[in-house]
Amino acid sequence: MLRNASIINVFRISLAIIVIVASASSLSAFWLLEKSEQDAELINVAGSMRMHAYKFATELSNDQPAQAQATVNKIEGLWERPLLNRHFAKASTDLENYALRVKKEWQGIAQDAQERGYSQLSDSDSQRISVYVDQLDQLVGMLQEHSEHRMESVRSALALASFIIVAVFFFLLTVLKRKIDEPLTHLLSVSKRLGRGDFTAKSKLNNNDEIGQLARTLNKMSETVSYFYGGLERRVEQQTEELSRKNKVLSFLYDTARSIIEHSYDYNNYQEVVERLHEVGEVEDIELCLLTEEGNRPFLQLQPRPNSHEPCEAGDCATCIKAGPGASVIEDKMVYRFVLKREDQNYGVLIVRCDPTEPLATWQQQLMSSTADQLALSQSLKSEEEQVRRLALMHERTVIARELHDSLAQALSYLKIQVTRLHKAVDKDDRDTIDDVSNELREGLNAAYRQLRELLTTFRLKVDGSGLYNALQTTVKQFSEQSDMAINLDYRLNNIPLAPHEEIHLLQIIREASQNAINHSEGTEVSITLSQPSGQDVELHIRDNGIGLPENAEKINHYGLAIMQERSRNLGGDIRLQRLESGGTEVFFTFTPDYLLQ
């Protein structure tokens, strides 16, 4: 019966027995303690009765009726206390009857003394009081015997409870060993064998309790794991191979995208891409055909090297491109087309040929399509870079032509006019005019030569990878070496991402304004300040402490002012020249940088 019993139910019943027995023993002990306190009080009351009895006898012998009556009242009050009545009512019949007899004995003594008016103590009264005291002593003894009997009963109950608790405890130990310890040890050994991969391990437990059910479940689990473990290694190998292939594909796509971002592809890069695609894509016949924007025949056909397949002999790729992406069977070959197309512009086509019985898998088609998109992006970026270079070259040529027209062309026109005046003066032999024209020609040639040098400096000007701040420091150093003026630079744009063209225009404006201050201000100091005080517009201040802005400033340095105005217009800013009240000239320029306009 114990073999098939539920472990949980056994523990529940055992724990319930222990709790009930322990609670009963605790309540018995509490009840004994409560009764012991009452027994002590009863003994105290009995002692008080004896003392008052002796006192009553003394008062009668001393002829003290008032005191004797008071003592009688006290003794009557002790006999009427509720504790005595409750205790005797719950006690045995003999004890209750004896207590009533002792009480009647006292009442007889008190009544006789009252009838005599509490006169002197007679020999019979003394003898009756002695008997009454002896009866009180015997009553106390009976109370003590009754209390000892009750304590003996409680001790027996406690002993029985202890025996029951110990018996239940050893019963639980037996259950723990037979139904839990031994079965769990067996299951632990079976689980260790299963953990080592020995799926033939079986549990031999056949109990109907919880551990028996656990053993049967463990056996079923072992059978299931053994069944699935057979194909697990093969599936792991397949997944590992699949992950390895995907890793190669992702690595190839990442390297290709990074290369496109870092630099434009040339034709050697395309050859490397085709060879890696042939290896990663696990295809036999692959070909890349590149076309120009207007062409219909490939200017470049690339295949992996070495290659046993002949390239496509079609002289017109328009058919493949117009057919669009897809697949078709041509000459017993399944031909897949992946068009290199971006923004309605065709750059070529990627061709993959395979056996019709073994078409490309989905991952292979996705790989080829992604590669074609990346190659199309590369071609598009390359075209955009070339277009940007052409536009930049045209812009620079326009700037050079405008600068030459505003400087050397006007200077040469002026010199041509002076030469015409010189011819007329020579024909008329006008010495004054000849001398004046000679001076004009000399000054004009000097101005033209100076403008030519400034133009060469302007066209050679650049900002290298060190940034605008280092270029400004180099400019300040050059001007300081060429002039006795002190040039101070206050640069506060370290945290602003200026575009390259913004740096070039700022540098040119600063050079022109500083050159004007050195050549015309006749001062001793030039200060250059670049800042962004409001967090929006960039402000440039160039101040000198010279003679100030002359009235004909544009005529004196028309070329330099024109360059600064042209640069300011290119940045969409505003430039002003003003005379300072304290003396000197200030060039003030402000513009909004591109990064705030995006």
Side-chain angles (χ1 to χ4, degrees), residues 48-60 64-81 103 105-119 121 125 129 132:
S48 179
M49 287 182 179
R50 289 197 301 270
M51 180 191 70
H52 284 88
Y54 288 126
K55 183 178 179 182
F56 175 69
T58 303
E59 290 171 347
L60 288 179
Q64 297 175 339
Q67 288 82 351
Q69 186 177 1
T71 302
V72 169
N73 293 334
K74 289 181 181 180
I75 295 175
E76 292 292 339
L78 291 176
W79 275 108
E80 297 300 328
R81 291 186 64 172
K103 182 177 181 181
E105 180 68 24
W106 163 253
Q107 289 176 350
I109 296 172
Q111 186 177 1
D112 292 342
Q114 184 179 6
E115 291 176 355
R116 293 195 312 270
Y118 301 106
S119 59
L121 180 66
D125 290 336
I129 290 173
Y132 169 70

Side-chain angles (χ1 to χ4, degrees), residues 167-280:
V168 173
F169 172 74
F170 283 103
F171 172 75
L172 288 179
L173 288 181
T174 303
V175 172
L176 285 174
K177 182 178 181 182
R178 295 183 56 186
K179 296 181 69 65
I180 297 180
D181 188 24
E182 294 177 356
L184 285 181
T185 303
H186 172 68
L187 289 180
L188 182 60
S189 64
V190 173
S191 64
K192 287 182 178 179
R193 292 177 59 187
L194 292 176
R196 291 193 295 266
D198 182 10
F199 297 105
T200 61
K202 302 292 182 182
S203 174
K204 299 179 180 180
L205 295 176
N206 195 24
N207 300 344
N208 292 326
D209 55 14
E210 291 82 355
I211 295 184
Q213 296 176 7
L214 179 61
R216 289 189 290 273
T217 303
L218 185 64
N219 291 337
K220 291 181 180 180
M221 182 189 69
S222 174
E223 295 174 357
T224 304
V225 172
S226 178
Y227 172 76
F228 284 105
Y229 187 77
L232 182 61
E233 292 185 355
R234 179 176 55 83
R235 293 170 58 189
V236 169
E237 291 178 358
Q238 292 177 351
Q239 292 295 328
T240 302
E241 183 179 355
E242 181 71 17
L243 290 175
S244 177
R245 183 175 63 246
K246 290 182 179 180
N247 182 55
K248 290 181 180 179
V249 169
L250 291 176
S251 178
F252 165 74
L253 293 175
Y254 170 76
D255 293 341
T256 304
R258 185 182 62 181
S259 300
I260 291 174
I261 294 173
E262 290 179 351
H263 56 81
S264 298
Y265 263 31
D266 56 21
Y267 303 127
N268 292 328
N269 296 122
Y270 289 128
Q271 179 65 44
E272 182 181 354
V273 170
V274 171
E275 292 179 357
R276 287 196 60 188
L277 186 60
H278 171 262
E279 177 186 355
V280 174

Side-chain angles (χ1 to χ4, degrees), residues 479-480 483-487 517-518 521-526 544-545:
F479 286 160
S480 298
S483 171
D484 295 334
M485 296 184 69
I487 302 176
I518 292 173
S521 69
E522 299 181 9
T524 59
E525 183 179 359
V526 177
D544 63 68
N545 59 351

